[in-house]
């Protein structure tokens, strides 16, 4: 038993580290101003695929759409245990919303000889939309299971998973092929192997069909440029604002029994507490 | 063309979810601006009390009933929503940003090649100008972005309907019109085997141990309260005040409180009369969940803590000292009255 697996990963700016010049005046993001990391839940998705490969055998192809420097993310995935990587990089892909992104990713997946399971992270920390996974599944016309935190059973015909449903979880079964989105609850991704890290140190993405990191553009995947990037995106950013939350009517209360009693009495008189 | 607003109504075990009521209420406000109608899309099996949804703002309920729709599954539900959109041609479609809504809406958007904005916290109607073109009556989809550090307004002028998922609890149900009934129209959708691939073997629903959304008084515990003794004092005070206890994300991650109790961008949005922030620094992701509170008391030992920017009452001090004082003071007041 062995499985052909695809993992979709995204290089994201580390949003826990926002700096002043991260936003451009037109509302788009100055990605270069922020350190780039691999979206954390995408690593959980890759970890699930690697576990399957270890237990049942198979191959893992990692695909990422992004700027040339996203090759760093793919190299990291190879060091973790992926077999092959594809970088979808093209100016025509720039400023894609989730619809255009899913179109591009689906076109690339269709180029692969076959697949049984597609893994995505539950959501990306820069957008938090959780949309690309289901949209890719729809484009490929396959089933989707989102919010998966455990793969309970896997055979050549079907998969059984546990998935979050908000106020609990469900166990469900689907035939293959299927797309899964994996949440951080599923596992702790392993660190990259030191041996591979040494071996792949100078690995670069290259055009064509040979190499460990393939570099593909819109022609390689036969994508319609009108459905990629900004052109293929249906959403527009009208404006962005920095969030400033402030209350104007403020009182300082000294940390003494009398002052706190006074405050509580005031709140009782106003029927706030009672 | 009539600019009707369709709301996907989410049912769990036959019960309409709060977020759907919130959306109906919002849709009514938006429909008033557009001079249009609110269509509720009820998808399930043997659903009850549909005409009564008129009270929340629905003019018409489109009811799709089928045994295969008893539990949520991506493919049959997506087919229903896609068919309903093609048939009723709404101008706007809204979903709750729940596990169901966030699984369903993108599948629909992909199929119909529509824009979709996730996790909106506010919706408005307004104009959008792109160069020389003015698009009137656009759905302004307002959402936090970048981990909550900015608020973005998104439009999708060239794709109709505009679609958005909206966070639970961010919209207040403004008015209920008692006795108003919605028309109910049945709409039939058939499924093929290829759309019934998922088999649900088992569902396990945890009863929520707390309802923060509806609470009048909420005490929020932050990392400054990460101490068994302080937590005990907080629960004592909560009992006295008849308050619910919630917390910041890290105090929940640290295991002091259950995940249902998380307040903020990735937790619940609360709207109590009083919120008491205890040892909470006041990062933006927490603040967005508490800004609908009528009054805020903040207790923090750091006078520079950002929580003080939004608090009505500021107490600079250590929780170890202030909490016992609050308990003592309140007991004292109760005794006298
Ligand atoms: C995408 C994203 C989503 C997030 N979603 C959420 C969310 O939904 N909800 C949320 O809360 N956070 C969320 N966060 C995390 C958020 O950014 C903050 O890290 C978090 O709110 C901080 O929690 P805190 O105030 O409890 O802890 P800290 O920031 O560590 O603050 C502790 C405070 O306690 C004070 N203190 C310490 N000891 C005492 C004492 N003895 N007496 C009095 N005061 C004391 C300190 O002065 C400090 O101000 C999110 C972050 C990201 C990136």
């Amino acid at each position: 038993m062995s499985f052909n697996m695809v993992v979709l990963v995204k290089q994201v700016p580390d949003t826990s580290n926002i700096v002043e010049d991260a936003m451009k005046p037109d509302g788009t993001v100055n990605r270069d101003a922020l350190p780039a990391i691999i979206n954390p839940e995408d690593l959980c998705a890759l970890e699930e695929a690697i576990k399957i490969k270890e237990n049942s055998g198979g191959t893992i192809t990692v695909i990422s759409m992004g700027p040339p420097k996203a090759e760093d993310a793919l190299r990291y995935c190879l060091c973790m245990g992926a077999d092959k990587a594809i970088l979808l990089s093209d100016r025509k892909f720039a400023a894609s919303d989730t619809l255009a992104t899913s179109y591009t990713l689906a076109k690339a997946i269709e180029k692969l000889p076959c697949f049984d399971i597609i893994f995505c992270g539950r959501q990306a920390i820069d957008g938090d939309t959780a949309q690309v996974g289901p949209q890719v599944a729809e484009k490929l016309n396959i089933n989707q299971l989102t919010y998966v935190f455990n793969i309970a059973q896997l055979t050549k015909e079907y998969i059984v998973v546990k998935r979050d449903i908000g106020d609990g979880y469900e166990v469900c079964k689907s035939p293959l092929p299927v797309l899964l989105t994996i949440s951080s609850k599923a596992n702790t991704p392993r660190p990259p192997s030191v041996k591979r890290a040494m071996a792949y140190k100078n690995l670069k993405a290259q055009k064509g069909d040979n190499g460990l990191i393939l570099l593909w553009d819109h022609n390689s995947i036969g994508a319609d440029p009108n459905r990629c990037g900004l052109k293929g995106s249906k959403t527009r950013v009208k404006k962005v604002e920095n969030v400033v939350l402030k209350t104007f009517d403020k009182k300082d209360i000294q940390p003494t029994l009398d002052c706190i009693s006074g405050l509580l009495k005031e709140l009782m008189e106003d029927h706030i507490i009672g | 063309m009539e600019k009707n607003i369709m709301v996907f109504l989410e049912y769990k075990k036959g019960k309409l979810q709060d977020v759907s009521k919130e959306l109906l209420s919002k849709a009514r406000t938006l429909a008033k601006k557009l001079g249009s109608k609110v269509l509720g899309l009820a998808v399930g099996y043997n659903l009850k009390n549909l005409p009564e949804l008129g009270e929340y703002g629905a003019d018409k309920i489109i009811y799709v009933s089928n045994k295969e729709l008893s539990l949520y599954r991506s493919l049959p539900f997506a087919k229903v929503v896609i068919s309903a959109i093609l048939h009723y041609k709404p101008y706007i479609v809204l979903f709750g940003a729940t596990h169901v809504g966030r699984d369903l809406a993108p599948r629909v958007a992909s199929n119909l090649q529509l824009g979709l904005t996730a996790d909106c916290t506010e919706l408005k109607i307004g104009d959008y100008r792109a160069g020389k073109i003015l698009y009137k009556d656009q759905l302004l989809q307002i959402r936090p972005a970048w981990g909550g550090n900015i608020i973005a307004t998104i439009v999708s002028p060239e794709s109709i309907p505009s679609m958005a998922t909206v966070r639970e609890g961010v919209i207040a149900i403004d008015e209920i019109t008692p006795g108003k009934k919605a028309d109910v129209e049945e709409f039939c959708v058939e499924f093929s085997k290829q759309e019934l691939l998922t088999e649900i073997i088992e569902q396990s629903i945890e009863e929520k141990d707390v309802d923060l959304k509806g609470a009048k008084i909420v005490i929020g515990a932050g990392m400054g309260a990460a101490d068994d003794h302080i937590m005990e004092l907080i629960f004592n005070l909560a009992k006295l005040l008849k308050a619910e206890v919630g917390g910041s994300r890290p105090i929940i991650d640290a295991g002091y409180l259950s995940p249902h109790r998380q307040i903020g961008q990735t937790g619940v949005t609360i709207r109590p009369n009083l919120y008491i922030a205890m040892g909470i620094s006041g990062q933006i992701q927490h603040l967005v969940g508490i800004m609908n509170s009528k009054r805020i008391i903040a207790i923090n030992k750091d006078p520079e803590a950002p929580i003080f920017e939004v608090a009505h009452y500021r107490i600079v001090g250590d929780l170890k000292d202030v909490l016992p004082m609050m308990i003592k003071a309140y007991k004292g007041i109760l005794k006298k009255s």
Side-chain angles (χ1 to χ4, degrees):
Chain A
M1 202 162 51
S2 85
F3 296 91
N4 290 303
M5 295 174 282
V6 177
V7 185
L8 304 178
V9 306
K10 183 180 188 187
Q11 196 180 45
V12 294
D14 189 351
T15 46
S16 55
N17 254 313
I18 294 274
V19 289
E20 289 286 312
D21 53 349
M23 300 301 299
K24 295 188 219 161
D26 63 351
T28 55
V29 171
N30 185 8
R31 288 180 177 262
D32 299 332
L34 294 172
I37 57 171
I38 302 179
N39 180 51
E41 285 181 316
D42 297 353
L43 292 179
C44 300
L46 176 57
E47 176 65 30
E48 283 307 306
I50 296 172
K51 284 199 298 196
I52 291 173
K53 183 181 154 182
E54 284 173 344
N55 291 332
S56 313
T59 57
I60 302 172
T61 306
V62 181
I63 304 181
S64 186
M65 184 183 94
K69 77 166 178 182
E71 107 189 331
D72 299 340
L74 291 174
R75 200 180 302 114
Y76 186 97
C77 293
L78 292 173
C79 295
M80 244 177 92
D83 299 291
K84 197 176 137 185
I86 298 165
L87 175 59
L88 302 170
S89 201
D90 190 321
R91 292 206 148 184
K92 294 204 159 58
F93 299 156
S96 294
D97 70 1
T98 63
L99 191 72
T101 302
S102 62
Y103 170 74
T104 309
L105 290 169
K107 280 305 233 184
I109 295 168
E110 281 170 354
K111 278 269 145 191
L112 303 177
C114 58
F115 60 85
D116 301 304
I117 313 172
I118 300 172
F119 292 89
C120 305
R122 179 190 56 128
Q123 65 186 40
I125 58 167
D126 57 345
D128 293 325
T129 73
Q131 285 172 191
V132 169
Q135 293 188 320
V136 168
E138 193 281 332
K139 296 237 149 59
L140 297 171
N141 201 17
I142 61 172
N143 199 13
Q144 70 194 43
L145 298 169
T146 52
Y147 299 95
V148 171
F149 63 89
N150 180 259
I151 296 177
Q153 202 191 347
L154 177 63
T155 74
K156 206 60 200 158
E157 282 76 42
Y158 65 86
I159 188 165
V160 179
V161 304
K162 286 187 186 163
R163 59 183 295 268
D164 266 315
I165 52 172
D167 48 2
Y169 70 90
E170 69 184 15
V171 182
C172 52
K173 179 173 165 181
S174 166
L176 303 183
V178 67
L179 181 142
L180 311 179
T181 78
I182 306 289
S183 81
S184 58
K185 262 209 263 176
N187 58 51
T188 307
R190 69 194 62 199
S193 118
V194 179
K195 215 169 103 198
R196 284 181 178 228
M198 294 293 283
Y200 296 155
K201 203 168 60 189
N202 297 316
L203 197 62
K204 292 256 175 279
Q206 54 190 113
K207 287 188 183 159
D209 292 324
N210 294 312
L212 283 178
I213 308 181
L214 305 182
L215 183 61
W216 287 2
D217 61 10
H218 79 279
N219 282 319
S220 335
I221 57 176
D224 173 358
N226 289 317
R227 292 186 66 183
C228 298
L230 190 63
K231 269 195 185 165
S233 298
K234 303 287 185 180
T235 51
R236 293 284 178 270
V237 178
K238 180 175 147 78
K239 69 173 178 199
V240 291
E241 295 153 285
N242 278 312
V243 187
V244 187
L245 296 173
K246 254 190 166 57
T247 298
F248 292 99
D249 166 28
K250 290 187 204 133
K251 268 189 203 167
D252 277 311
I253 310 290
Q254 294 310 312
T256 65
L257 192 58
D258 279 354
C259 295
I260 288 174
S261 281
L263 165 64
L264 293 175
K265 275 185 202 145
E266 184 183 323
L267 291 171
M268 280 174 112
E269 277 156 21
D270 293 353
H271 302 287
I272 298 283
I273 57 176
Chain B
M1 196 192 84
E2 247 197 312
K3 295 177 171 169
N4 291 335
I5 303 179
M6 183 181 275
V7 174
F8 172 77
L9 301 174
E10 184 175 337
Y11 284 86
K12 253 188 188 157
K13 303 227 152 132
K15 192 171 164 275
L16 184 65
Q17 299 299 291
D18 288 345
V19 68
S20 301
K21 296 176 191 165
E22 294 159 13
L23 287 176
L24 284 176
S25 186
K26 187 68 181 187
R28 172 170 53 192
T29 312
L30 300 177
K32 235 181 235 164
K33 280 217 148 174
L34 296 168
S36 65
K37 295 212 157 53
V38 176
L39 315 175
L41 179 59
V43 187
Y45 186 55
N46 274 340
L47 299 177
K48 301 268 163 22
N49 304 328
L50 296 176
E52 285 71 19
L53 296 177
E55 298 188 351
Y56 292 100
D59 295 297
K60 179 149 98 183
I61 300 295
I62 301 155
Y63 179 30
V64 187
S65 177
N66 188 316
K67 223 178 172 149
E68 299 292 356
L69 301 169
S70 313
L71 292 174
Y72 174 76
R73 291 182 290 170
S74 316
L75 300 191
F77 271 66
K79 181 170 190 190
V80 167
V81 178
I82 292 163
S83 311
I85 291 175
L86 292 174
H87 188 264
Y88 291 94
K89 302 194 169 50
Y91 181 66
I92 291 170
V93 185
L94 305 177
F95 303 80
T98 58
H99 283 65
V100 166
R102 283 158 58 96
D103 183 88
L104 172 63
R107 185 117 196 161
V108 173
S110 174
N111 186 275
L112 299 172
Q113 295 196 46
L114 299 170
L116 171 64
T117 303
D119 282 339
C120 294
T121 50
E122 175 63 302
L123 300 170
K124 289 182 184 158
I125 300 292
D127 296 343
Y128 170 65
R129 180 178 287 285
K132 286 204 176 105
I133 313 174
L134 180 70
Y135 298 92
K136 292 198 87 75
D137 288 345
Q138 293 299 304
L139 179 68
L140 307 183
Q141 306 150 41
I142 299 163
R143 73 177 305 250
W146 287 81
N149 294 281
I150 58 166
I151 293 279
T153 303
I154 313 284
V155 290
S156 37
E158 306 251 290
S159 80
I160 294 175
S162 292
M163 299 224 301
T165 67
V166 179
R167 291 281 322 255
E168 182 171 352
V170 298
I171 292 163
I173 297 175
D174 43 28
E175 74 198 86
I176 289 174
T177 326
K180 190 183 169 243
K181 294 259 192 297
D183 298 331
V184 178
E185 183 171 305
E186 291 219 23
F187 182 66
C188 187
V189 182
E190 304 283 341
F191 304 108
S192 74
K193 252 197 154 151
Q194 275 313 298
E195 286 144 1
L196 301 170
L197 297 176
T198 302
E199 179 194 333
I200 294 171
I201 298 171
E202 178 199 331
Q203 266 194 356
S204 150
I205 311 273
E206 301 151 22
E207 285 302 319
K208 271 196 212 160
D209 58 346
V210 57
D211 177 25
L212 289 180
K213 270 199 323 176
K216 292 279 171 249
I217 306 175
V218 177
I219 302 182
M223 284 311 278
D227 171 285
D228 288 336
H229 178 60
I230 293 180
M231 283 311 270
E232 196 185 316
L233 292 173
I234 285 181
F235 275 97
N236 288 346
L237 179 67
K239 211 167 160 194
L240 278 174
L241 292 175
K242 299 195 185 62
E244 291 289 2
V245 179
S248 68
R249 188 162 83 173
I251 193 97
I252 276 142
D253 291 346
Y256 284 93
L257 294 169
S258 75
H260 294 309
R261 294 180 187 263
Q262 185 182 320
I263 299 166
Q265 187 181 312
T266 43
V268 287
T269 304
I270 57 170
R271 44 182 78 251
N273 287 334
L274 177 65
Y275 179 63
I276 313 179
M278 302 223 169
I280 287 181
S281 58
Q283 299 308 311
I284 188 75
Q285 295 88 355
H286 187 78
L287 298 186
V288 293
I290 65 167
M291 289 311 285
N292 293 321
S293 310
K294 284 214 185 84
R295 304 274 178 95
I296 297 172
I297 303 177
I299 306 162
N300 199 303
K301 65 181 182 187
D302 172 10
E304 304 293 324
I307 189 74
F308 287 131
E309 290 292 315
V310 302
H312 302 87
Y313 306 99
R314 313 191 282 183
I315 306 178
V316 178
D318 194 310
L319 284 172
K320 282 198 224 53
D321 311 323
V322 178
L323 262 167
M325 276 184 220
M326 287 185 90
I327 292 171
K328 198 166 165 197
Y330 194 67
K331 279 186 176 162
I333 297 171
L334 287 184
K335 232 185 226 159
K336 272 186 211 150
S337 60

